[in-house]
Amino acid sequence: MTEQYKSREERRKKQTQKNTKKKSKKKKPGLWKKILLSLLAIGIVGMVAGGITFAVIVSDAPPLDDKKLKDSFSSKIYDMNGEEITEFGQVKRTYVPYDDIPKVLENAVLATEDARFYEHSGVDFIRIGGAFVANVQEGFGAEGGSTITQQVIKNSLLTRDKTVTRKVQELWLAFQLEQKYSKQEILEMYLNKIYFPGNIYGVAQAAESFYGKALSELELHEAAMIAGIPQSPNNYNPRTNPEKAEKRRNIVLTLMAKHGFITEAEAEEAKQVPVQSTVIEPTEKANPYHAFVEEVIEEVKEKTDLDAGSAGLEIYTTLDPKAQDAVENVLNGDVMNFPDDELQAGITLLDTQTGEIRAIGGGRNQPVGGYNYATDTRRQPGSTIKPVLDYGPVIEHDKWSTFHQIVDEPYTYSDGTKINNWDRSYKGKMSIRQALADSRNIPALKALQEVGLDKAKEFAQGLGIPLDEIYEPYAIGGFRDGVSPLQMAGAFSAFGNNGIYIEPHAVKKIVLSDGTEISLEPEPEAAMSDYTAFMVTDMMKSVVEYGTGKSVQISGVNIAGKTGTTNFSEDDKSKYNVPSGAAKDAWFVGYNPNYTAAVWTGYNISADSEKVYLDSSDQKLARAMFREVFLEVAKGDTSDFEQPNSVVRLAVEKGSDEVLASDYTPSNQIAYEYFVKGFEPKKVSKKYEKLDKPSDLNINYDQVTNSISINWGYNEDALDGLSFEVRQSIDGGAYEVVSQSASTSYQIADVTPGSTYAFQVIAVSGNNRSDAAATQLQVPEPDVDVPELPGDDEEGQNEDDQEDEDSGEGNGNGNGNGEQNGNGNGNGNGNGNDSGNEDESEDGTEQDIEGEQTDPDVETTVPPTENTGQ
C-alpha cells in the first residue's frame, strides 16, 4: 500500500509539472507578440519622426541654381591687415561640352570617382559599402563614397560642414539634380569645374597645362593621371610629387581594368611610362604672393573641402606683405650672390607666438604651379634636428641641465657602426650646451640613447615632425623621408613659445557667400614643459653667440637657432664627382620671441645635373639668407625669452660634474647654467681654497739704476710647494703676469720716468690662490739744471740745491706694510692699497678679444675664452 501510494503521488507531481509547462508555453507567444508590437510601434514613430526631420532639413536646402551649377565664383584673399591681395578663380578655364570629352578620360574618371554613375539615381548605396572595401584592399584613396552627382552638389551649392544636416541635404539635392539634368550634363558640369594645382580648372585646361595637348590627344597614362589628381591636387601633382602622383595614377589604371574599361595588359603597359615623361614645365611667371596663395588654396581644400576657385569665398590669411616682399627679395632679388641659377632654396617665416605663416619663399625663379621648396620639399634636416630629437626630449624626461656633462669620444651606434663628428676629432668632456654649439654628433647620439627612441619619437611628433619610424642615425638628421622648412619652422617655434605648439597655418577664417564665418585657426597644444623650451632655447642662443651660427648675429636681437648640413652617400659621391667637404643640403632654423624662420638650400639631383653639391662657400648661404630676412622683420626687436619659475640659474665650476662654484673658485672657472627646479646640484666645490695673502709688501725705486724692486713676506711653514704670481700694470693699464716663482722679491729695470707702476702679488698652490697684496709707485721725473738768474745770492742757491737733494733722497726710500695708500711721489711709496684694482683683476687675466668673425667652411666653432653661458 505504501509503495502504491508513493507512486500515485509521484504521478500526480509529474502531471502537475506537465500542466505548468503547457501553461508556460501558451504564455510565451503572447509575450513575444507584445515585444514585436512594441518594436513595430517604435519603428513607426521613428519613421514618422525621421520623415518629419528629413522634411524639415530638406526644406532648408538651397534650390538648384543653374548659374551656380555651371558657373564659378572667384574668391577674394586678404592679408593679415584685412587688405585684399588677390582675387582667385575664374581664370585659366576652357569649358568643353560633353561631346568633346574623350572616352578614355571619361572612363578614367568614372572608374575612379563613380563606376556606377549611369546606374544609380544620384546616390549609390552599394558604392558606399564598396568604397570601404576598396580602401582596405587597395590602399587609402582607392575610391570615394560620394557619387559624381553628389560632388557637383557639394562643390556648387553647399558648405563643406561635416554635419548630418549638410549630408541629408546633399543626398536630397543629388536626387533632385538627377531628375532635372541628364547624366551627360551632370558629368559635363563636374569635369569643367574640378580644380588642378596651379590655379587650373577643368580637364581641358589641365591637359593643356600639364601635357601641352588638347583633350582628344591624351594618351591612356595621361588621362589616368588627370583623373587621379583632383582627389588631392597638391599631393598628386606630377610636377612636385612625382612618386605619389605615379602611385595614384597606377591606382586609377588598376580601377579602369577592374571595371572593364581597359584590359589588364593595357593597364600594365601604361604603368611602365614614367609619370614625368610627358609632363611639360609650367610657363606662367609667378607673382610675389604666388607660393603663399597656393598654400592658402590647399589649406582651405584640406580643412573644408571647399574649392577656393569656384566657391566665392572671402579668405582672411596670415600674410605679412612686407615680410613676403623681404623673402622674395632674398630669393629673387640682388641681395644674395648665388653661385648659379640652379641652386634652390626654400624659406618659411612664422609668427613664433601664434604659428601664423607670415611669408613663404617657394624657391628661386619658380613659375606658377612650380615646385614649392618651402612646403613640398622633403630633405634630411642634418644637425637642425638635434634640439628636436636629442636634447629636447632628454631635458623633458630626464631633467638634464644645460651644464650636463657628456663625453665626446670615439663611439659607435648600437649595432657597432662607427659614428664620426663633422671634423673627425673628439673634444672629450663637455657640457651639452657646448656640444650643441659645436654641433658634435657623438654627444647628440648619446642623448638620444639616454632618453630612448620611443620618447624621442613622441616628442618630435608633438612638434609636427612626421615620424612613422625612428632609428639611431636620426639623432644627427639621417632621416629616410626628410622634412620641409615649414615643418622645421613649426617645430622650432614651439621652443620660443614656452613649449606650446601651434600648427603653422596660412588661413585664419573664411566667409562663405551667405555670410557664414568658419574659423580655421588650429588649437594650441602643449608639446613640452616650459623648462624644456627655455633651456633648449638658451642653448641655441649659444649656437648663435659663439657656435656654428654666429654669422647670423644681429646687434641687439636675441636669436636662438641651429645650423645643419647633410652629406652624400659614398655611391653618390662617386657618381656625381662630389669633392671632399661638399654638402648635399644646408639649413638654418632660428627664432626670436616674435619670428621664426627656416631656410633650406640645395640642388635638385638628376642624371643630367651639372652640379649637385654645395661647396664650402655655398654652405654659408642658408645662414646669410636667414640673417637678411631677420634684418628686415626683426631689426631693433630687443625682446628676449623669459625665464620660467620652473628653472633656476646657478654658478657652477667648469669641468666639474655639476658642482656649484665656491667662494674661492676663480671667475674664469665659473659658468652660469640652467637647471630644472628641484633637480639643481647641492654640492659645493672644494677644489679651490683661499690661501693667506703675502704680507709686508715693500716697494723701492733706485734712481741710480732706474729700477723698481718689490719684496714681501710669507709664513715660512707654508712655503713648501708655494709660488708667487706677480702682476704688473703701467699707468692704469690692464694687469699682466710678469713673474711666477717661489722667490719673495721681484725687480724691474729701465722704468719710465713719470709713469705709475702698480703691482699685485698672489700666493699660488695648485688650484688654490690668495687675495692679492697690492702696491704702486710713480717714478719721479729726472733732475733738471736751472740757470743762475741775476741777483741770486749764494745762500738762495744753496737752498734750491738742498731742496733737490731732499727730493732725490726721498724718492723710493719709503717702506710700507701694504695696508696704507702710497702718496705716489716716492715718499712712502709701496704703501699701495691692497684692494686697489680688484674690479679690474679679479680673475687675474685680461679678457681675450675675439677678432673679426668669419664663418667656418664646415660646422666649427671657437668659443670665447670665458663663456658664462649667457
Side-chain angles (χ1 to χ4, degrees):
M1 295 286 293
T2 306
E3 290 179 1
Q4 186 177 2
Y5 176 77
K6 288 182 178 178
S7 177
R8 289 174 181 174
E9 286 294 318
E10 288 174 359
R11 282 197 299 271
R12 188 178 295 110
K13 289 179 180 179
K14 288 180 180 180
Q15 188 64 39
T16 303
Q17 289 173 356
K18 288 180 180 179
N19 293 337
T20 303
K21 288 180 179 180
K22 288 179 180 179
K23 291 178 180 179
S24 298
K25 288 180 180 179
K26 290 179 180 179
K27 290 179 180 179
K28 281 186 178 178
L31 178 61
W32 281 109
K33 185 176 181 181
K34 290 180 180 179
I35 293 173
L36 291 173
L37 289 173
S38 297
L39 291 175
L40 182 60
I42 293 172
I44 293 172
V45 171
M47 290 176 63
V48 172
I52 294 172
T53 302
F54 179 82
V56 171
I57 291 175
V58 299
S59 66
D60 290 334
L64 295 178
D65 187 324
D66 286 356
K67 185 173 180 61
K68 288 185 177 180
L69 288 168
K70 295 183 178 181
D71 294 338
S72 297
F73 297 89
S74 60
S75 296
K76 292 183 178 181
I77 300 178
Y78 302 89
D79 64 19
M80 61 181 288
N81 303 312
E83 299 294 329
E84 183 179 335
I85 57 174
T86 188
E87 188 168 357
F88 180 76
Q90 291 187 325
V91 293
K92 290 189 289 186
R93 186 190 309 276
T94 302
Y95 196 93
V96 291
Y98 172 79
D99 292 339
D100 291 341
I101 297 170
K103 207 66 180 176
V104 65
L105 179 59
E106 178 181 346
N107 291 339
V109 171
L110 293 180
T112 308
E113 299 294 338
D114 193 353
R116 288 168 40 84
F117 176 68
Y118 287 106
E119 300 173 25
H120 61 67
S121 299
V123 178
D124 188 355
F125 295 103
I126 296 176
R127 175 176 168 75
I128 293 173
F132 175 78
V133 175
N135 286 326
V136 173
Q137 294 178 343
E138 301 173 25
F140 178 77
E143 291 187 33
S146 295
T147 65
I148 287 176
T149 310
Q150 288 175 263
Q151 292 185 58
V152 170
I153 293 295
K154 185 167 55 177
N155 290 335
S156 303
L157 302 176
L158 299 174
T159 69
R160 302 308 174 92
D161 295 338
K162 296 180 179 180
T163 62
V164 174
T165 297
R166 203 274 298 166
K167 195 65 180 177
V168 169
Q169 291 179 345
E170 178 188 304
L171 297 177
W172 169 252
L173 290 173
F175 282 118
Q176 298 300 309
L177 189 66
E178 292 271 351
Q179 301 302 313
K180 186 174 182 179
Y181 297 96
S182 69
K183 288 287 187 179
Q184 290 76 15
E185 288 176 311
I186 294 172
L187 187 60
E188 181 181 305
M189 294 175 193
Y190 176 74
L191 293 177
N192 280 287
K193 294 191 72 169
I194 51 179
Y195 169 73
F196 293 87
N199 195 15
I200 297 167
Y201 287 87
V203 292
Q205 192 63 42
E208 176 66 29
S209 176
F210 285 102
Y211 300 109
K213 296 180 177 181
L215 277 177
S216 59
E217 299 173 337
L218 289 177
E219 299 176 38
L220 173 58
H221 70 94
E222 295 167 338
M225 187 69 262
I226 287 179
I229 292 175
Q231 186 188 70
S232 183
N234 195 44
N235 285 329
Y236 300 140
N237 186 340
R239 290 191 180 110
T240 60
N241 290 311
E243 292 182 3
K244 290 182 179 180
E246 188 163 308
K247 183 177 179 180
R248 174 63 178 166
R249 182 205 63 184
N250 291 345
I251 289 176
V252 174
L253 291 168
T254 297
L255 291 171
M256 291 181 73
K258 173 184 175 181
H259 293 296
F261 293 118
I262 59 175
T263 66
E264 292 286 351
E266 288 173 325
E268 290 304 315
E269 182 181 357
K271 289 179 183 179
Q272 301 310 309
V273 181
V275 75
Q276 288 183 304
S277 62
T278 55
V279 173
I280 64 174
E281 291 296 323
T283 57
E284 182 179 344
K285 188 176 181 180
N287 60 61
Y289 304 141
H290 145 71
F292 191 93
V293 169
E294 288 200 349
E295 178 64 20
V296 167
I297 296 165
E298 186 66 25
E299 194 170 304
V300 171
K301 179 74 173 176
E302 289 181 356
K303 292 185 177 182
T304 69
D305 203 26
L306 283 169
D307 183 352
S310 61
L313 308 174
E314 291 182 356
I315 306 174
Y316 292 86
T317 76
T318 63
L319 175 72
D320 181 346
K322 291 183 179 179
Q324 184 66 52
D325 290 343
V327 167
E328 186 67 21
N329 192 33
V330 167
L331 285 170
N332 298 307
D334 299 327
V335 176
M336 306 302 303
N337 184 23
F338 293 105
D340 52 55
D341 291 336
E342 301 305 315
L343 186 143
Q344 274 297 346
I347 303 175
T348 299
L349 179 69
L350 304 180
D351 184 303
T352 303
Q353 305 299 318
T354 65
E356 295 180 351
I357 303 174
R358 293 291 178 235
I360 292 178
R364 298 182 60 222
N365 307 312
Q366 289 298 93
V368 173
Y371 195 83
N372 189 326
Y373 289 94
T375 60
D376 296 335
T377 191
R378 295 294 184 272
R379 302 293 282 254
Q380 292 184 341
S383 292
T384 58
I385 204 64
K386 291 173 181 176
V388 174
L389 210 55
D390 307 328
Y391 298 113
V394 80
I395 290 175
E396 176 72 13
H397 293 286
D398 292 0
K399 309 297 189 296
W400 279 15
S401 72
T402 59
F403 187 66
H404 184 89
Q405 298 295 292
I406 200 162
V407 181
D408 181 23
E409 60 188 346
Y411 201 65
T412 66
Y413 293 103
S414 295
D415 64 0
T417 303
K418 186 177 181 181
I419 177 175
N420 293 306
N421 289 312
W422 57 265
D423 58 357
R424 305 280 172 165
S425 70
Y426 312 99
K427 293 191 175 182
K429 189 176 180 181
M430 61 175 58
S431 68
I432 60 172
R433 177 192 295 279
Q434 189 68 45
L436 184 62
D438 289 350
S439 200
R440 312 305 290 173
N441 289 340
I442 291 164
L445 172 59
K446 287 184 175 182
L448 175 64
Q449 291 175 332
E450 181 70 22
V451 73
L453 295 178
D454 291 339
K455 289 180 179 178
K457 174 183 173 182
E458 182 182 1
F459 187 91
Q461 287 175 332
L463 295 176
I465 302 299
L467 288 182
D468 295 328
E469 57 189 10
I470 184 173
Y471 304 100
E472 287 187 348
Y474 282 30
I476 58 174
F479 281 28
R480 185 191 69 180
D481 297 326
V483 291
S484 69
L486 179 64
Q487 291 168 334
M488 290 303 295
F492 271 55
S493 67
F495 289 112
N497 193 27
N498 297 315
I500 304 300
Y501 173 74
I502 303 176
E503 181 185 3
H505 55 286
V507 181
K508 292 189 283 188
K509 70 176 182 178
I510 61 174
V511 180
L512 306 181
S513 57
D514 64 359
T516 303
E517 288 191 9
I518 301 176
S519 173
L520 299 187
E521 293 183 294
E523 292 293 326
E525 299 178 6
M528 69 189 86
S529 303
D530 57 1
Y531 61 79
T532 301
F534 178 80
M535 291 164 68
V536 172
T537 292
D538 200 71
M539 289 167 61
M540 283 198 278
K541 286 176 70 176
S542 295
V543 172
V544 175
E545 288 168 2
Y546 60 82
T548 58
K550 64 183 180 182
S551 64
V552 307
Q553 292 176 4
I554 299 173
S555 179
V557 182
N558 294 292
I559 300 174
K562 186 69 190 76
T563 56
T565 57
T566 68
N567 299 325
F568 287 90
S569 67
E570 292 301 322
D571 289 342
D572 283 345
K573 285 181 180 179
S574 175
K575 182 178 180 180
Y576 298 109
N577 194 28
V578 177
S580 177
K584 186 177 182 181
D585 309 278
W587 293 78
F588 189 83
V589 188
Y591 56 98
N592 81 337
N594 294 311
Y595 292 98
T596 301
V599 182
W600 166 86
T601 56
Y603 284 89
N604 284 321
I605 300 175
S606 62
D608 58 351
S609 297
E610 293 184 7
K611 180 184 177 184
V612 299
Y613 58 84
L614 301 169
D615 58 30
S616 59
S617 178
D618 300 337
Q619 292 170 36
K620 302 174 184 178
L621 286 170
R623 285 168 279 173
M625 294 168 73
F626 174 92
R627 188 174 188 275
E628 287 298 329
V629 171
F630 254 57
L631 274 173
E632 183 66 29
V633 301
K635 188 175 182 180
D637 179 0
T638 60
S639 60
D640 203 355
F641 306 96
E642 294 185 8
Q643 178 180 332
N645 293 329
S646 58
V647 174
V648 293
R649 178 174 179 264
L650 297 173
V652 290
E653 199 165 88
K654 292 181 180 179
S656 68
D657 291 322
E658 297 194 2
V659 176
L660 297 174
S662 70
D663 292 339
Y664 310 122
T665 302
S667 60
N668 65 346
Q669 294 301 311
I670 296 176
Y672 291 89
E673 298 285 357
Y674 291 101
F675 299 80
V676 179
K677 184 175 288 186
F679 293 84
E680 60 269 32
K682 307 296 183 185
K683 185 178 179 181
V684 179
S685 172
K686 295 183 179 179
K687 184 177 181 179
Y688 300 94
E689 293 181 0
K690 197 170 187 179
L691 300 176
D692 293 334
K693 75 176 180 179
S695 61
D696 301 326
L697 178 61
N698 300 316
I699 186 167
N700 289 284
Y701 170 65
D702 188 328
Q703 190 174 27
V704 176
T705 61
N706 190 34
S707 64
I708 295 175
S709 62
I710 59 173
N711 59 79
W712 58 90
Y714 205 83
N715 183 356
E716 293 185 2
D717 295 335
L719 287 175
D720 188 26
L722 198 70
S723 65
F724 297 96
E725 179 180 286
V726 180
R727 299 177 179 180
Q728 173 184 290
S729 169
I730 302 175
D731 293 331
Y735 277 89
E736 296 180 357
V737 177
V738 293
S739 174
Q740 181 88 44
S741 71
S743 175
T744 56
S745 64
Y746 174 75
Q747 184 175 19
I748 177 173
D750 298 325
V751 295
T752 303
S755 292
T756 299
Y757 287 78
F759 296 90
Q760 293 180 339
V761 181
I762 301 168
V764 179
S765 178
N767 292 321
N768 302 324
R769 303 167 67 83
S770 72
D771 286 339
T775 188
Q776 66 179 12
L777 176 147
Q778 183 177 12
V779 179
E781 298 286 354
D783 293 340
V784 179
D785 292 334
V786 180
E788 182 177 344
L789 298 176
D792 285 349
D793 57 16
E794 186 177 347
E795 184 178 354
Q797 180 64 47
N798 290 339
E799 287 176 358
D800 290 337
D801 292 342
Q802 183 63 44
E803 288 177 5
D804 290 340
E805 289 175 7
D806 291 342
S807 176
E809 188 177 288
N811 282 329
N813 292 333
N815 293 327
N817 58 10
E819 302 294 338
Q820 303 296 324
N821 289 323
N823 60 20
N825 63 3
N827 295 321
N829 281 325
N831 300 334
N833 188 347
D834 68 352
S835 63
N837 300 306
E838 272 190 5
D839 290 340
E840 293 183 23
S841 59
E842 186 177 279
D843 63 355
T845 59
E846 182 180 0
Q847 288 289 332
D848 292 338
I849 304 301
E850 193 172 275
E852 180 181 353
Q853 295 178 345
T854 58
D855 290 331
D857 290 344
V858 290
E859 290 201 337
T860 185
T861 180
V862 181
T865 301
E866 181 179 352
N867 167 30
T868 64
Q870 294 305 297

